[in-house]
Structures are given as C-alpha cells and as structure tokens.
Amino acid sequence: MNVIEQNLFSLLRIGAFDDGNVSIVPMSTWKWNKMAYYAQVHGIWDYVRKGLDNYKADNKLNTPYNFGNRENKTKDISHNNDNSQHQNKLLLKQYRSIIEKERHSIDTSITTLQLLEIIVFNSNELLNKDLNFNGIINLGHFMREKGNAVDYIKLESWLSQLRLTRMAQLEGSVLVSVLGFDADEIPFVNTVEDSAVNLAKTTIRSTTLAEEWHFRQSDNGFVVNNSKLFRRNMKRSLHFLNYAPIISISSFFYNFVHSLKEIEE
C-alpha cells in the first residue's frame, strides 16, 4: 500500500469511525491533492476531511492551503433495497420470500433483515460497479451500533440461500483489513479474505465512474459496443466467480441482455 492509499484509509478510519489508533504520514502537495481527488471521486471526501480536522495544527503534514475547501464529485449512495438490482430472478424471488416470511414470523428480527439488506446492496454494487465505500462504511456503522441485536444463525441461513455467504465475508473483510475493525466485530466473517486489501486499493485507484453498458446502432445500421466497458464487465464477473458464481454469471448476462434492449429500433 503506497503512502497516498495509507493516508486516505487512515483518515477514513478517523473520520468515519473515530479511530485514534492510526497515524498520518507527511506527503508532497501533489500527493495530498491526488489523495483528495480519489476521495472526491468515490464520494468519501467528507469523511476524509473530518479526519483531517484532527490535524489542523500539524504543519509537518504539509497539507495544501485551503485543502478542505472541496466537495464530493459523486453523491453519497444509500442502500435502497427493493433489490430490483438483484439480477438473478431465482435469487431475487428467494430474497423477497425471506423478507416476507421474516416480517410475519413470530420471532421476527427486523435488525437482521436490515443487515441482510446492506449486505445485498454492497454485493450488487460489487458485481455491477465497484466496491462502494459508503456502503461498506454503512455496514461498519451498523455492526457497531446494532450488531449485538442480529440473529447470526438466521443471517447465515439467508446468505446461504442467496449464495452470498462469501460475498458477505469479503465485505466484512474490507472492514477488518482496511478500516481497522477487529474480526470478532464481524461475526459473519469466518475467514478474512486476502483479496480485501487489493480490492480496496484497486477501487480507490479507479477514478473512472461506472458507466452503463449499452450496445448502440450506428448510422450505417451496424450494432456497435463499447469494447472497454465489455471487457470491464467481463473481468469483474470473472473476478467474483469464486465468491458468488451463480450471481456473477447471471449479472453479466442480465447486463448483456439489458444492453441489447437499448438498441434503437
């Protein structure tokens, strides 16, 4: 992890979770501006700026003048889980069935359903876009505020039904490996995924916002496709085959079919 990423994740830990067990390293003006750009693009600048407020008087860090006078380039994304984004129709049906049955259960656990919704949202983001840092931070806040009220036996059963057990573990592993959580704070993480750190670093370095993948009909009548986006979607689907094989494949083909429907008649 280079110094830019190290400082960004450290400031994120401070700003999002009030973590006092991290240190910040001085950087050049260019590196500070690069870090700020990464944070802006991924919609986490407000957390990073809050972290920097703890170091206002530290001139050794060499932060640029008026460094805090910036805004996120993307909107914060809250989880909205009617989960129409869940591309596998069978699993979508199962997901809605879980919600319906649990809401009418004698020992219903709304808190556990809320955690499932956050996990499903983050899984959708991973499979169709990139790691959503706001979604992961939301997961971290939930675990620290309501984690003790979760029925983890139910959660593990639901995740197994939805084929999301390892995706959930990957999300929790980002909290542990990158954002300073203890493994015992995330009971659904049985093994910390080694790929979590690389996933976080790769996402941060990606400053191209997610684009929808569409086929288009050219003026001469031929169907054309953005090959770069095609390869990106293919690479993403292949990457997550080990974590959620059924959903990875179905998400890829859903996006493929959906893009074909966008061709002008």
Side-chain angles (χ1 to χ4, degrees):
M1 188 179 299
N2 65 38
V3 67
I4 297 176
E5 295 157 358
Q6 178 185 330
N7 274 349
L8 191 154
F9 292 137
S10 293
L11 290 168
L12 201 55
R13 287 171 60 174
I14 298 167
F17 300 111
D18 297 318
D19 190 340
N21 297 317
V22 293
S23 58
I24 307 302
V25 181
M27 297 193 297
S28 67
T29 299
W30 182 89
K31 288 182 178 179
W32 277 115
N33 285 324
K34 187 71 172 178
M35 186 210 71
Y37 178 67
Y38 286 158
Q40 287 177 279
V41 167
H42 291 283
I44 52 176
W45 172 244
D46 290 343
Y47 291 119
V48 173
R49 180 170 53 194
K50 182 181 176 183
L52 276 167
D53 286 344
N54 291 272
Y55 298 92
K56 284 181 178 179
D58 192 344
N59 295 325
K60 295 179 181 178
L61 291 180
N62 192 40
T63 54
Y65 179 70
N66 285 337
F67 188 52
N69 189 25
R70 298 164 182 258
E71 294 181 354
N72 286 323
K73 293 182 179 294
T74 58
K75 296 180 180 179
D76 289 346
I77 304 174
S78 59
H79 64 284
N80 178 16
N81 282 292
D82 63 349
N83 280 285
S84 56
Q85 294 182 27
H86 210 306
Q87 268 77 16
N88 186 289
K89 290 184 179 181
L90 176 60
L91 294 181
L92 175 57
K93 184 177 180 180
Q94 290 178 325
Y95 175 77
R96 288 174 174 166
S97 176
I98 287 170
I99 294 175
E100 186 65 21
K101 287 179 180 178
E102 184 62 18
R103 285 176 175 168
H104 294 88
S105 173
I106 296 175
D107 61 340
T108 184
S109 176
I110 299 302
T111 304
T112 309
L113 277 179
Q114 290 172 338
L115 177 55
L116 179 66
E117 290 174 354
I118 295 171
I119 290 171
V120 171
F121 169 81
N122 282 320
S123 297
N124 286 328
E125 291 291 293
L126 275 169
L127 289 167
N128 297 293
K129 298 177 185 177
D130 274 316
L131 180 69
N132 186 316
F133 280 98
N134 281 297
I136 296 298
I137 289 169
N138 189 30
L139 175 61
H141 285 159
F142 186 94
M143 294 305 299
R144 286 189 170 167
E145 293 167 8
K146 300 182 180 181
N148 290 335
V150 171
D151 184 333
Y152 289 102
I153 294 177
K154 281 187 176 182
L155 180 68
E156 289 179 9
S157 173
W158 295 341
L159 291 174
S160 178
Q161 292 177 52
L162 296 171
R163 314 293 196 275
L164 288 176
T165 299
R166 198 167 173 206
M167 286 293 284
Q169 184 162 271
L170 178 61
E171 295 164 28
S173 295
V174 175
L175 288 171
V176 174
S177 299
V178 179
L179 296 178
F181 277 62
D182 292 329
D184 58 9
E185 293 184 89
I186 320 290
F188 56 85
V189 174
N190 296 314
T191 303
V192 176
E193 297 284 351
D194 293 334
S195 61
V197 173
N198 190 55
L199 173 62
K201 292 193 299 183
T202 302
T203 300
I204 280 295
R205 294 169 190 161
S206 175
T207 55
T208 302
L209 300 181
E211 302 175 61
E212 287 196 34
W213 175 29
H214 295 305
F215 287 89
R216 306 282 185 192
Q217 188 170 21
S218 64
D219 292 339
N220 58 14
F222 288 99
V223 174
V224 295
N225 176 42
N226 186 324
S227 59
K228 184 177 180 180
L229 286 178
F230 180 89
R231 289 193 300 270
R232 186 183 301 166
N233 277 272
M234 175 68 81
K235 183 178 180 181
R236 182 185 299 113
S237 296
L238 290 173
H239 178 77
F240 290 111
L241 273 178
N242 289 331
Y243 298 93
I246 296 175
I247 305 175
S248 296
I249 294 170
S250 61
S251 292
F252 177 82
F253 282 107
Y254 174 90
N255 289 329
F256 182 86
V257 173
H258 179 70
S259 67
L260 287 174
K261 291 180 180 179
E262 297 296 321
I263 299 174
E264 295 181 2
E265 296 295 332

